[in-house]
Amino acid sequence: MSESLDALERRIAELRAEVRRAVKAKENSLARSLRGDLRRAEQAWDAAVGAEEPVPPPPEPETSLLPIREQVHQALALLGVPTAAKLIVAVNDAFFSGALRGPQLTSLRRDEERSFRSAPYARPYYLCAALTDRLSPARGLLADSTWAPELRVLGPLSPRVDFLTSTMRIAEHLARLAEPPPGALRLLSRMAHNIPGAVEGPVQADPVTALRAARAELEVHRAADAAHRAEVAARASRQLPDVERLFGAAAMSNLRGAC
């Protein structure tokens, strides 16, 4: 490639000299033709130089000093309710390191259950399952073992209640920040569009307005949801051993006393 560059540089120098001679001799037609040849030679030189430039290495992926389970735990601590992996990743990206990816969470709950079975309560917290009203693990939802049992079980209204609660927690967190992260405001806006009165049109959500709207709807559902969750939590406490209270009952055992 360096030989081609040398040849192009010699050609460019020759063409520049020929252009000057043609202009000096007032041979305008020839000068225009030579300028076209010169431009093409310079473009070829630029392309040749670009081909020799080393390809920059891909950027290093952003990393976090925290283990995966602790990144998930801090996202759950912000949200305060059983949460799907997709929202956990979005919250981590918006507020924390952004180094968490969905596939990393796939086997996390199973790993936590194995750890608990081998050494119960050896850790200060476990990333456990949310329990359905049949006391089985709710698919795809992670919870914190230190939460009250009523927070780790689900009733018919719980998905909506937990969505409103997580929206409120994000809005409260943003309202306290002097300079809210743009990614976190976008996340709040996406959530607020699913709450009546939380945001108007395509504009970005205001944390205070979103908080007020989410709280107003939550008051409609709170009492009924709390009663149902209390019943499920009491049943889990009576019927399940410790490991199943955290990670859910087996398929056959979850029928005990469900009627």
Side-chain angles (χ1 to χ4, degrees):
M1 181 63 72
S2 59
E3 291 182 2
S4 298
L5 282 172
D6 291 342
L8 283 168
E9 288 169 353
R10 287 194 297 270
R11 177 62 176 154
I12 289 169
E14 292 170 357
L15 285 168
R16 285 173 177 165
E18 291 178 17
V19 168
R20 285 197 298 272
R21 284 195 294 270
V23 170
K24 188 173 182 180
K26 298 184 179 181
E27 296 179 357
N28 296 333
S29 178
L30 177 60
R32 283 195 297 272
S33 176
L34 290 170
R35 285 194 183 100
D37 292 342
L38 177 60
R39 282 195 297 272
R40 286 188 288 274
E42 289 172 338
Q43 290 168 355
W45 185 89
D46 289 339
V49 169
E52 283 202 340
E53 291 178 352
V55 177
E60 290 291 328
E62 191 173 359
T63 58
S64 170
L65 298 178
L66 293 177
I68 291 171
R69 72 185 301 267
E70 292 189 29
Q71 293 181 60
V72 173
H73 186 250
Q74 69 181 355
L76 287 174
L78 189 152
L79 294 166
V81 293
T83 305
K86 184 176 181 180
L87 182 54
I88 290 172
V89 170
V91 167
N92 181 268
D93 187 52
F95 288 99
F96 303 114
S97 70
L100 200 59
R101 297 294 175 262
Q104 296 174 306
L105 278 65
T106 302
S107 61
L108 189 57
R109 191 192 62 76
R110 292 194 299 273
D111 294 341
E112 293 286 289
E113 182 174 354
R114 283 195 291 268
S115 174
F116 184 88
R117 288 182 182 277
S118 64
Y121 300 110
R123 295 175 171 179
Y125 68 86
Y126 291 86
L127 303 175
C128 60
L131 303 188
T132 70
D133 59 0
R134 295 177 64 82
L135 307 185
S136 59
R139 184 176 179 84
L141 295 181
L142 287 172
D144 184 334
S145 65
T146 64
W147 292 345
E150 292 79 5
L151 290 177
R152 294 189 282 105
V153 298
L154 304 174
L157 294 171
S158 299
R160 184 60 180 175
V161 165
D162 288 351
F163 174 80
L164 294 168
T165 302
S166 59
T167 303
M168 288 172 56
R169 296 286 291 260
I170 290 172
E172 288 170 343
H173 195 76
L174 287 172
R176 291 192 295 267
L177 298 177
E179 296 184 9
L185 287 170
R186 288 193 295 271
L187 174 60
L188 177 64
S189 296
R190 292 199 301 271
M191 299 177 74
H193 275 94
N194 294 293
I195 302 172
V199 64
E200 295 295 335
V203 300
Q204 186 168 269
D206 170 62
V208 175
T209 302
L211 176 60
R212 187 182 303 118
R215 182 179 289 130
E217 184 181 342
L218 183 61
E219 288 303 316
V220 176
H221 307 303
R222 189 195 301 271
D225 181 62
H228 198 107
R229 285 178 125 151
E231 186 275 326
V232 177
R235 185 151 43 85
S237 180
R238 291 194 308 269
Q239 297 178 7
L240 302 181
D242 286 1
V243 66
E244 291 186 349
R245 290 178 197 169
L246 295 182
F247 299 99
M252 295 302 295
S253 65
N254 63 19
L255 296 177
R256 293 175 296 176
C259 299

